[in-house]
Every structure is written in C-alpha cells, then in structure tokens.
Amino acid sequence: MRRELSIILLIFCFYLASANAQEVPVRLSAEKLCGNINKKVEAHGKVVVRFKDVVVKGDNASYDRVSGILRVWGNVEVVEGDVDLKCKSLIYDLKSKRAVLERVSGKLSPTDYIRADRIERLSEKEWIAYDGEYTPCTGQVCPDWSIGAKKFRVLLGESFAGRWVTFRIKEIPVLVTPVLTGPVVRGRKSGFLTPRIGYVSEGGFYYRQPFYLVLGRSADLTLAYEKRFKGGNGKSAEFRYVLSPYSSGDIWVNKLDLPSEKSWKFTFNHSYRPSDYVYGTAHAEMVNSRSYYKATTTFDVEEKTQVYTKSDANLSKLWEHAVINANLVYLDYLDGSTDRVYQKLPDLQFYLMDVPVSRFPFTFNFSGDATYFYRKAGGSSYRVSLEPGLRYVKAFRKFKSSTQVSYLVSDYEIGGTSRIFKFENLNSFNVAEKVGRVGDFSVTPKFGFRVVDVMGLGNNVIFDLNDKVESRREAFWGAETYLYASGRQLGRLNVSGGYDFKGEDNWKDWRVQLSLTPVSNLTLQQDLKLSSDDGSLKIANTYLGFPLEVDGYGLEGGRGWVDFYYQKEEPQVKYVRWGTNIPIGKYVSFSFQQRYDVKYSMDRERDYAININRGCWNGRISYRWVKNYDGSIDYQVMFVVNLLKLGSYGYRFAGRKED
C-alpha cells in the first residue's frame, strides 16, 4: 500500500512540475518509477504515458524533461486520434512532435494502413516509411491490394509516393514500377506516375505511362504516352498553372495516331475569384471530329456519346442588391450543323433586385440584357432589352398578396423594336392543422392573374425563346399540400391549372404532382398532365420504388423499381422501365434494368451488372444492349476497377449485331 501511494504521489508531482514549467503536461504511470522529476524519469513495467491526446503504452520508458524526448521500448502501442500503431520502440520529441518508430504495424488514419521496419513522423500529416507496405484496405490482415517500397511518403488521407514500388494483390507481387504516387503529393517531385492498363475493342490492350514534371512553384506538367497493341498510339500533355491565390487554370491536349485516322482534342480552363463578390471562368474545347470520342480509352459514357463541344466564358460581379453577368457561348456541333446554330457573343445581363422606394410601399427592380447573335450560314443581329418593374407586397396574418408590374422594351438591329407590358398578381394563404394521430397537415392555395401585351413585334428574327412571347390574359390557380409525421414528410400534392381569356384554347391543361413515402423504403411519385377539354391523359410519369422480399423474407438492402412514361403529344412515347438492385453478401450486389417500348411492342434496352465495393477498391462488370428501330443491336461489355488513390482501370468491348 505504501509503494502504490508513492507511485501515485510521484505521478502527481511529475505532472504538476511539468505544468508549472509551461511544458507539455505529461502523465506517466508504471509498476516502477525512478529518477529526478526535474531532469529525467525512467519507468518499468506496464508503462502508460499520456500527453495531450496521445497515449503510449509499453514495457519500459524514459522521459528527459530538459530535451522533451520520450523513449518507449518493448511491446509499444501508440494511440493518437485515428492513429493506432504497434511497434518495438518509439522516440518522440514532444516539442517538435517528430517521432521515430521501429518495427511498426497499424493504422495511420481510417484509410491508411502500414507495416514498416522504420517510420519517421515529420508532422501530424506527413509520415515516411522504410522497407514497408502500405494499403488503404481497412482492417484486413491480408489486404486485397497493397504496395511495398524501400521508402515512401504518406500524407494522411490524401496520397502516397514511393520509389521502386511493388504492387501486390493478396500479398502476391504483380507489378513493379520505378515510381508510384497517389493524386496529391506534398513537396512535388518530377517522376513517373501510376501507369494505366486496360482494353477497348477499338484499340485492343493499351498501356499508358504518365510522367510528372515540376516547372517551378506555380506550374507543373504531366506528359503521357499511350501504346495500343492493335496499332497506334496516343500522346497527351496537361499544363497546370497558378498566377495568384485567386487565379489559376490548366491546358490539356490529347492526340491519337491510329492506323485508320488521326484525331485530337484541346481544352482550356481558367478560374478567377479575387473575392466572394467577383467570379469568372473561361472554358475552351475543340476537337477535330466526333470519331475522337469513339477512339478514346475513356469509360465515361457521356463523353463517348458527345455530339458537340462547348466553349464559354463568364464573369459575374455582385453587390448588395444587384448582379451583372457577362457570358460568351459558342457551340460546335460535330455533325456539321454549327452553321445553322445561333451563337451568343457576348451576352450581358444585369439584375437589380427589389429595392424599397422611399416614402412609398413599393420596391423597384430592374433587369437588362444585351446580346449579339451570329450564325455562319447567315443571319445576325443584336438585341438590347430593358425591363423596369414595381412590386407591391401585402401580408395579413396567413394571407399574402404580391403584385408585379413591368414594361419590357427590346430593340433589334434587324426587325425593329418590341414592347411588352406585364402585370401579375399572386395571392396565397397557408393553413396548417394536426390530423389526429396521423401527423401535421399543411395546405397553401394560390391564385392570381397575369396580363401580357405584346406591341410592335415587327418582323424581327426569332433568335431564342426570349423572343417568342405571345399576348395573353389569364388566371392561374393551384394548391400545394404536405403531410408530416414525426418530423418526416409522408406526402406532397401539387395541383395547378389556369384559364386564358384571349387564346383559342381558354382552359389550360391541369398539372398534378404527387409524392408519397408512407414508410422510409417505399416511394411513389406521380406526375400527370390532363387535358382541360375532356380530362384525357396527355403526359404521365409514374415511379414506384420498393423493398424486395422473397417468400416473406426480406433481402436486406435490396430494392426494386418500376417507371412508366407516356406522352400523347408528338413525338409519341410510351414505355415501361423496371429494375432491381440485390445485395449478394456483404460486398457484392447485382443490378438489372430493362426498358420496354409499349408503342412498338419490343424490348429497347437491357443492362446487367455485378457491383463490388470493398472500400479500398470497387468494381463493376456490366453487359448492356440497345435495340435500334432497324432491328440492329448495339452491345457493350465493360469491366472497370477503381483503386482508392490510384485511379481507374478497365476493359470495354463494344459492337453491333445486325438483325
């Protein structure tokens, strides 16, 4: 009892002396303690050292108070936040927070696991390992994949970089590379990056090797060479630069030299944001032909089916009540139809939001637009539009009325001037009640009037939808209803309609939108458009999502869905889609979807896929086919693997089967 009391007293005195000296407070307990608390203390047997949020356990320890050096050896365990490491010995500098660990294994973060003969901790973020193995695979004794190297640097949760790296699958070496890095590297260094290998039906197997080159503090360059084993190669260059803390960009060029043709693509991006009130971007994209997208080794479906390129620039300036935007947009259609498309070079827009008018119960607002239209095939003009407006808002308890009056004047180089008077009044009120034990019920009816008078339209060319304005006098109404229970939305219903006093078809079509979620995993969504003449259905979109059950037993996480779409108007569309997602074990799931064309009584599309998610990597094996109206079938087989911090690798085979 006397021995235990003396140990506790020594711990207290040691802690107090360190705190009074304004050093890092250290608490040390052990079976045996000896030394001078003002200079150096040694501990033996079940040693536990605590300082700040760090806990170190071991068989033996020594702490030099003057130098701030802590040494622990024998069955050492270090716990600091997400860090949990076991090692043979530890040397920790409490002043600089640098450390050296010998014979180490454990985790550095939730996505960084490591084994090494020796590890140096340079900071809380940066670690260097020697003769070690790294993996982001969480808590696996034999990880799905890992890398081993003589020396590599790890930035916790961000990246790693190593030299003469061995890539392993289940501890089996499959690839050796001189340099391997993750996406972000502190202290940038020139060298080879992670190679890419894959297969595409157009080019066979390919190998892509990037090389990273540092060009100073504010610029770098990535060069890549791609070899295709069916013939041909590719070369690319990506230049990145930083002009200031608020101005940066990149330039990317990719050239494909294939036996059948040569194709290329160029992109440029720049962003400019000196403050939260000024923001600008510029983007340019050029490609020599649409065949480029078919020949690339990308697995991006949207890029594979791209039919045009878009170049644009935007600059926005914000004030307390106003904003101005300057835009330039140029579309280049790859099918040669660009000559028939109007371009906007430039488009200037100005908005003045509601500003109170002194001594009057009104707010003033203003919008302006200046645009120059251009078309290669002929036809160009400018348009300057000015629209001042006044708004009056009156609220009385749950009732709110808002009235807006504006006058739009648009002047054209070709076609004269058009003037449009607009008046709109919107009224609404809200009713909220409790419905027994069901929940809270809320309904907001809305009704209003709208008047649009178009004067002096002349013969101006229709450049965009802003020019296509028709005179009308109409009333509109609707209601939005919500049902809540236990803070969760159970249902929503929105119904709207209207009456045009001037048009030929006076009654406007009814629009009904319904969303029901009676339980968390069951969803019904309904969107209808009904004819005002006879109530017939013109458009319907019905979606039902539900959990899956087989013989009364639920498949945990499994879901099914059905989607029906119908459009009576031209082009007439009528199809049904359905699909499932079924878990197979902890990491694997199976998904299927099908689209059936009801109008032509034929299958239009099917997609089968097996999805794997192991955390440190995920993959997808899929087979998809689409049936064309001439009876031919386009099909595609794709296998893609995404390695955490290493990127994507894949196999894609596409073809066509004639009827």
Side-chain angles (χ1 to χ4, degrees):
M1 179 69 179
R2 184 177 300 173
R3 176 175 174 272
E4 293 176 354
L5 183 60
S6 64
I7 292 176
I8 295 173
L9 182 61
L10 182 58
I11 296 171
F12 177 78
C13 293
F14 181 62
Y15 176 80
L16 184 62
S18 298
N20 289 337
Q22 294 183 350
E23 299 172 359
V24 177
V26 177
R27 299 175 61 188
L28 193 155
S29 64
E31 293 180 344
K32 181 179 179 181
L33 290 168
C34 58
N36 187 333
I37 61 173
N38 293 317
K39 293 183 179 180
K40 186 176 182 179
V41 176
E42 292 188 359
H44 303 281
K46 297 183 179 180
V47 177
V48 179
V49 184
R50 302 175 187 272
F51 52 94
K52 291 190 175 181
D53 61 342
V54 182
V55 179
V56 182
K57 299 178 181 180
D59 296 335
N60 307 280
S62 69
Y63 176 61
D64 190 325
R65 184 180 172 212
V66 177
S67 63
I69 300 298
L70 171 68
R71 289 181 171 85
V72 185
W73 62 95
N75 299 312
V76 181
E77 181 179 5
V78 184
V79 178
E80 180 181 3
D82 292 327
V83 176
D84 189 353
L85 297 172
K86 292 180 173 60
C87 60
K88 182 179 179 181
S89 64
L90 164 71
I91 301 176
Y92 201 115
D93 188 335
L94 274 68
K95 294 182 179 179
S96 65
K97 294 187 178 181
R98 296 171 69 99
V100 177
L101 300 85
E102 303 287 344
R103 303 291 177 84
V104 192
S105 65
K107 69 172 183 174
L108 298 176
S109 78
T111 58
D112 296 286
Y113 284 76
I114 201 167
R115 288 202 303 259
D117 285 347
R118 184 167 178 263
I119 291 181
E120 295 180 5
R121 168 184 158 142
L122 304 182
S123 66
E124 293 183 3
K125 194 78 173 175
E126 189 172 7
W127 301 66
I128 297 180
Y130 300 88
D131 290 325
E133 181 182 32
Y134 165 85
T135 181
C137 299
T138 305
Q140 298 182 25
V141 178
C142 181
D144 290 351
W145 70 270
S146 63
I147 63 167
K150 288 291 183 182
K151 176 184 176 182
F152 54 86
R153 176 180 279 105
V154 178
L155 297 182
L156 300 189
E158 295 181 10
S159 67
F160 60 86
R163 294 186 176 182
W164 290 110
V165 176
T166 302
F167 179 80
R168 302 168 181 168
I169 298 179
K170 290 294 185 181
E171 301 294 331
I172 301 174
V174 296
L175 179 67
V176 177
T177 178
V179 177
L180 189 65
T181 68
V184 181
V185 179
R186 181 176 298 174
R188 300 171 302 150
K189 292 184 179 180
S190 301
F192 290 97
L193 301 180
T194 309
R196 295 287 190 271
I197 55 176
Y199 179 91
V200 292
S201 55
E202 298 88 350
F205 286 98
Y206 66 87
Y207 176 89
R208 183 179 179 85
Q209 179 60 66
F211 181 82
Y212 180 74
L213 185 63
V214 178
L215 301 178
R217 294 181 56 190
S218 58
D220 54 38
L221 176 68
T222 300
L223 303 171
Y225 176 81
E226 180 181 296
K227 175 61 181 176
R228 301 193 179 189
F229 290 88
K230 276 189 176 181
N233 58 69
K235 307 178 189 69
S236 68
E238 184 176 7
F239 173 69
R240 294 166 292 269
Y241 62 88
V242 177
L243 301 180
S244 69
Y246 49 80
S247 180
S248 62
D250 63 81
I251 300 173
W252 183 75
V253 180
N254 188 27
K255 182 182 179 184
L256 300 176
D257 296 324
L258 305 179
S260 57
E261 61 182 336
K262 299 181 185 296
S263 56
W264 54 266
K265 182 181 180 181
F266 168 87
T267 60
F268 165 74
N269 295 285
H270 184 84
S271 64
Y272 172 76
R273 188 165 192 169
S275 71
D276 292 337
Y277 300 97
V278 179
Y279 180 72
T281 61
H283 170 75
E285 182 175 321
M286 292 183 290
V287 63
N288 68 327
S289 70
R290 186 177 179 181
S291 60
Y292 168 85
Y293 295 106
K294 297 180 180 180
T296 59
T297 53
T298 180
F299 293 96
D300 188 334
V301 177
E302 290 188 6
E303 184 174 358
K304 281 289 184 183
T305 57
Q306 191 165 332
V307 296
Y308 66 87
T309 62
K310 179 181 179 181
S311 299
D312 57 73
N314 174 71
L315 179 64
S316 298
K317 170 66 176 176
L318 285 77
W319 294 273
E320 184 178 0
H321 292 286
V323 59
I324 185 171
N325 293 317
N327 302 285
L328 296 100
V329 179
Y330 183 82
L331 300 176
D332 186 9
Y333 282 82
L334 304 178
D335 60 0
S337 62
T338 301
D339 291 349
R340 301 188 298 274
V341 178
Y342 278 107
Q343 313 292 347
K344 296 183 179 182
L345 303 170
D347 185 10
L348 303 176
Q349 301 167 346
F350 176 78
Y351 302 96
L352 178 66
M353 291 166 274
D354 290 321
V355 177
V357 179
S358 178
R359 300 181 182 180
F360 291 95
F362 302 105
T363 58
F364 174 75
N365 56 75
F366 178 83
S367 64
D369 178 86
T371 307
Y372 178 75
F373 298 90
Y374 165 76
R375 188 172 66 179
K376 289 183 179 180
S380 65
S381 178
Y382 67 77
R383 179 186 65 208
V384 178
S385 300
L386 304 174
E387 184 175 1
L390 287 175
R391 187 188 305 275
Y392 175 75
V393 179
K394 182 66 175 179
F396 180 74
R397 295 184 179 180
K398 296 183 179 182
F399 179 83
K400 181 179 180 181
S401 178
S402 174
T403 302
Q404 165 82 15
V405 178
S406 64
Y407 190 77
L408 171 65
V409 178
S410 296
D411 184 70
Y412 298 83
E413 179 188 23
I414 299 176
T417 302
S418 65
R419 295 176 176 86
I420 302 175
F421 170 78
K422 300 178 181 178
F423 169 86
E424 181 175 290
N425 171 254
L426 174 63
N427 305 280
S428 65
F429 61 92
N430 178 261
V431 177
E433 299 289 343
K434 283 190 173 294
V435 184
R437 297 182 180 180
V438 177
D440 299 318
F441 173 81
S442 172
V443 59
T444 305
K446 301 178 182 180
F447 62 93
F449 304 92
R450 185 182 295 117
V451 175
V452 178
D453 278 336
V454 181
M455 300 161 283
L457 187 61
N459 298 316
N460 54 293
V461 181
I462 301 299
F463 293 100
D464 59 20
L465 293 179
N466 292 328
D467 292 335
K468 194 173 183 179
V469 180
E470 297 179 355
S471 297
R472 60 184 185 273
R473 286 170 174 78
E474 60 185 11
F476 56 91
W477 50 79
E480 193 165 31
T481 304
Y482 290 91
L483 180 62
Y484 292 89
S486 302
R488 187 174 66 85
Q489 180 180 309
L490 298 182
R492 171 183 174 271
L493 174 64
N494 188 300
V495 180
S496 62
Y499 184 86
D500 190 344
F501 295 91
K502 190 174 182 179
E504 295 180 1
D505 299 325
N506 300 106
W507 291 99
K508 297 296 182 181
D509 293 331
W510 286 89
R511 187 73 179 268
V512 180
Q513 294 175 304
L514 173 67
S515 177
L516 293 177
T517 311
V519 293
S520 59
N521 54 1
L522 179 64
T523 301
L524 171 65
Q525 294 177 347
Q526 180 71 71
D527 192 347
L528 302 174
K529 186 177 180 181
L530 305 175
S531 173
S532 59
D533 296 330
D534 54 9
S536 62
L537 186 64
K538 300 180 73 174
I539 294 179
N541 191 3
T542 306
Y543 174 85
L544 177 64
F546 51 88
L548 292 177
E549 288 192 1
V550 178
D551 295 330
Y553 294 94
L555 296 173
E556 185 177 354
R559 288 191 59 79
W561 57 271
V562 178
D563 181 27
F564 171 77
Y565 184 81
Y566 167 79
Q567 179 173 297
K568 183 179 180 180
E569 303 166 337
E570 293 293 338
Q572 293 183 348
V573 179
K574 189 176 183 180
Y575 65 77
V576 180
R577 296 191 308 156
W578 61 86
T580 61
N581 186 60
I582 303 173
I584 307 174
K586 186 177 180 180
Y587 305 106
V588 183
S589 65
F590 170 78
S591 62
F592 163 76
Q593 66 175 4
Q594 181 175 356
R595 178 162 60 101
Y596 183 82
D597 194 319
V598 180
K599 181 180 178 181
Y600 294 97
S601 301
M602 59 182 287
D603 277 349
R604 290 281 293 150
E605 182 179 1
R606 291 188 185 183
D607 188 295
Y608 305 84
I610 295 178
N611 307 282
I612 305 171
N613 190 348
R614 293 277 292 174
C616 59
W617 71 275
N618 62 77
R620 176 181 171 88
I621 304 173
S622 64
Y623 171 72
R624 178 174 179 264
W625 66 260
V626 178
K627 191 170 185 179
N628 304 307
Y629 289 111
D630 61 1
S632 62
I633 294 177
D634 292 321
Y635 60 90
Q636 176 177 275
V637 179
M638 189 161 63
F639 170 61
V640 180
V641 174
N642 302 300
L643 300 180
L644 184 64
K645 304 178 186 177
L646 277 184
S648 301
Y649 304 82
Y651 170 98
R652 179 178 56 80
F653 183 86
R656 169 171 289 192
K657 181 180 179 181
E658 300 296 337
D659 188 13

